[in-house]
Amino acid sequence: MKRTKKLPSRKAKTLRRGIILAVCLVGILALYQPCLTPGQAIRASEAELGWEKTQVLGETQVLSRRVTLSGSRDGLMATVFRPFQPLSPLLGRQGEALLWVSNTPSRAYPSSLTAIPFRPEEGQEGSLLLFGQVDLAEAAAVRVYDKEESSPSDLSLEAPLSTGADGRQLVCTTLPLPAQETTFLPSWHEILDQAGHILYAGPLTYTAPFSSIDPMIS
């Protein structure tokens, strides 16, 4: 006598579908590796560079994004945290968290500073992200401006230095750009003491072109 094949119950079908969906979700997350914390963005950038673990030295905000300056013996690294940005090297997207890397200052060049201006919304102020390290005992502030004779702007911006957790003299800040300064690209900087006297002057390590922070910093 033939046995009637027992059909799976509705509960069993639901459970099976749930297991399949869970396995698929785990696989997607393993491939995609979404960034959930600023620390994950930093670790992914360290892995990309082959650096030892860095220590967080400073943080600032550019629009709604958190930018973190961290350092080790290898140098300084700036990363941007964008929730759910992919960090998996399998997708070739790991570098999206990494903004810029710079070496530590030397006797010949006692500062290592980077400036990245961001486009303002129409009629709104823009932003200048300024970060890096200074190695001068009496240094108190940094001033940036464009030294080119052909520059259409005479704007200069100043930011105080702070002391990082490891004792380094740092700047990691976002400075407002007036709405009319849509082409401000600082090329030069001065290191100032408490009285405003210039201790050192030289070109910035790097100035990025005007960028937009969404959907990614580029």
Side-chain angles (χ1 to χ4, degrees):
M1 190 173 173
K2 243 183 178 181
R3 286 187 181 179
T4 306
K5 191 174 180 182
K6 190 177 180 181
L7 296 175
S9 66
R10 184 176 296 177
K11 186 182 288 186
K13 285 181 180 180
T14 303
L15 180 61
R16 188 179 300 168
R17 286 173 187 162
I19 292 172
I20 292 171
L21 285 174
V23 170
C24 291
L25 180 61
V26 169
I28 291 170
L29 290 176
L31 288 172
Y32 189 81
Q33 290 182 20
C35 185
L36 302 177
T37 67
Q40 283 183 300
I42 295 171
R43 300 289 90 82
S45 297
E46 291 164 354
E48 181 186 358
L49 295 170
W51 280 19
E52 65 181 31
K53 187 175 181 179
T54 58
Q55 182 178 10
V56 173
L57 303 173
E59 288 183 346
T60 188
Q61 292 278 130
V62 180
L63 302 182
S64 60
R65 306 301 187 209
R66 183 184 301 182
V67 174
T68 304
L69 187 67
S70 62
S72 68
R73 292 177 299 177
D74 297 308
L76 292 176
M77 177 178 75
T79 54
V80 60
F81 170 58
R82 293 187 302 113
F84 304 109
Q85 65 185 341
L87 297 176
S88 172
L90 296 175
L91 298 180
R93 308 283 293 281
Q94 196 169 342
E96 284 192 8
L98 187 61
L99 266 182
W100 185 249
V101 176
S102 63
N103 296 323
T104 52
S106 63
R107 285 190 178 183
Y109 302 99
S111 62
S112 180
L113 299 169
T114 297
I116 304 179
F118 292 92
R119 294 186 186 95
E121 297 177 8
E122 191 171 348
Q124 302 289 322
E125 288 185 336
S127 299
L128 181 75
L129 175 61
L130 180 65
F131 57 88
Q133 180 181 353
V134 173
D135 190 12
L136 284 171
E138 298 177 5
V142 177
R143 179 188 296 142
V144 296
Y145 56 96
D146 193 349
K147 196 182 180 185
E148 300 295 328
E149 292 182 4
S150 58
S151 171
S153 173
D154 58 359
L155 178 68
S156 67
L157 297 174
E158 193 171 313
L161 289 169
S162 60
T163 303
D166 62 353
R168 303 189 204 207
Q169 295 169 290
L170 304 167
V171 60
C172 182
T173 190
T174 306
L175 301 170
L177 285 176
Q180 66 271 21
E181 296 291 346
T182 57
T183 58
F184 180 62
L185 294 172
S187 60
W188 205 257
H189 75 286
E190 295 170 346
I191 308 299
L192 311 174
D193 64 12
Q194 288 283 3
H197 301 135
I198 299 172
L199 301 175
Y200 174 80
L204 286 169
T205 304
Y206 177 71
T207 301
F210 260 87
S211 301
S212 175
I213 201 163
D214 284 315
M216 64 174 284
I217 293 181
S218 60

